[in-house]
Amino acid sequence: MPDSPTPGRTRPADSALNTGFGRVLLFVYGLGALSASSRGLVQVFTHFAEAPLAYVLSAFAGLVYLVATVGLAIGGERGRRIALVSCSIELVGVLVVGTLSIADAVAFPDDTVWSRYGSGYGYVPLLLPFVGLWWIWRHRPRDKA
Amino acid sequence: MNGPLSVATIVVALVLAAWFLLRAALNRAPGRAELIATAALGVLVAVLVVVAVIGLFGGSRPSETATFSGYLITTIAFAPVALYLARMEPTRWGNLILGVACLVLPVLVLRLEQIASVTTGA
């Protein structure tokens, strides 16, 4: 029995940031938050002096994913704004750090999640902000009038 | 790390991933069978982690013990978290969550193997 959505069960588009596909995004962002921040913390606390810039960026990336996860979990207008800001920072981060890590390898002797556009993580860090922003854009507030 | 157990976990996870992704593509919500399968995978993973923890106290420790422990905690928590989220999402996306989890789990197990293979020379 195919469970096609009946009109009565359709949720208003702007109230469902944290359901449906949003819940998948939440899971993936949570994963990103966990892997980036734990990587950053281990790097900062065990061999910080080797590559300070890269390690601070690792920890920062973890924070950005964490904030995005919280935004997606809260949902609603406030959660949407939080997610919008953090996903935008994430997009800029992965593009800037990705480019720098290729252009100026000396400054990045060790990897971060965003190095080489996240090639160490199957380029998921490069795709994720686009998918996230698309989802947030889809759930932009409509004119109520 | 226990080789055969790791391989079994990876194979089961990949087979389940294919099934969950297929179900998601067919626009099906996770049913009882899917949830039980994920729980069973969680049990298999838990056994793997417990064996690894026993190994920590017995044989040679991986040189990055902290990282190894972090990965062990992540690994054992993985299936339960996916199950929890999938239960809240009784749509095709619930199956996608389970599918993604089953694709990431093999990576976690491989990373565990990798970290465990570098031991301190005792």
Side-chain angles (χ1 to χ4, degrees):
Chain A
M1 183 189 76
D3 33 11
S4 54
T6 52
R9 269 168 48 201
T10 325
R11 288 170 290 222
D14 60 343
S15 68
L17 186 76
N18 51 3
T19 57
F21 179 70
R23 197 113 53 190
V24 183
L25 262 189
L26 173 73
F27 183 57
V28 178
Y29 265 97
L31 256 179
L34 182 70
S35 45
S37 52
S38 48
R39 174 176 204 158
L41 287 177
V42 166
Q43 288 174 331
V44 165
F45 283 107
T46 57
H47 39 271
F48 183 64
E50 282 170 33
L53 177 61
Y55 297 162
V56 167
L57 272 171
S58 274
F60 174 71
L63 190 67
V64 172
Y65 286 115
L66 194 64
V67 174
T69 309
V70 171
L72 288 171
I74 296 174
E77 223 162 293
R78 203 160 70 99
R80 190 185 162 274
R81 214 173 307 125
I82 295 171
L84 178 64
V85 170
S86 48
C87 284
S88 307
I89 296 174
E90 184 200 348
L91 178 62
V92 173
V94 72
L95 292 179
V96 169
V97 174
T99 308
L100 283 180
S101 64
I102 292 169
D104 185 8
V106 184
F108 293 90
D110 203 351
D111 275 354
T112 75
V113 270
W114 288 338
S115 296
R116 285 169 283 109
Y117 306 110
S119 66
Y121 293 82
Y123 293 101
V124 170
L126 179 61
L127 284 176
L128 205 50
F130 288 103
V131 179
L133 286 173
W134 163 78
W135 181 250
I136 294 164
W137 177 77
R138 256 191 61 151
H139 291 273
R140 64 196 179 281
R142 313 292 166 112
D143 290 329
K144 303 247 157 54
Chain B
M1 287 293 287
N2 187 306
L5 203 50
S6 302
V7 172
T9 309
I10 291 172
V11 170
V12 170
L14 288 179
V15 169
L16 285 180
W19 172 248
F20 294 145
L21 293 181
L22 179 71
R23 298 285 292 177
L26 293 174
N27 199 6
R28 300 298 167 87
R32 216 179 142 71
E34 279 79 18
L35 298 176
I36 290 173
T38 309
L41 177 66
V43 170
L44 186 60
V45 170
V47 171
L48 179 76
V49 169
V50 168
V51 169
V53 169
I54 293 170
L56 275 183
F57 292 101
S60 46
R61 282 188 182 205
S63 47
E64 294 179 58
T65 310
T67 310
F68 189 69
S69 310
Y71 267 98
L72 283 179
I73 295 169
T74 308
T75 306
I76 202 168
F78 215 71
V81 170
L83 198 58
Y84 173 74
L85 280 174
R87 276 179 58 103
M88 286 200 299
E89 192 56 50
T91 64
R92 71 188 322 178
W93 307 114
N95 266 323
L96 186 58
I97 291 172
L98 296 178
V100 169
C102 286
L103 283 181
V104 178
L105 255 176
V107 178
L108 285 173
V109 174
L110 286 176
R111 272 294 285 160
L112 276 172
E113 290 276 357
Q114 201 182 17
I115 301 168
S117 66
V118 185
T119 51
T120 44

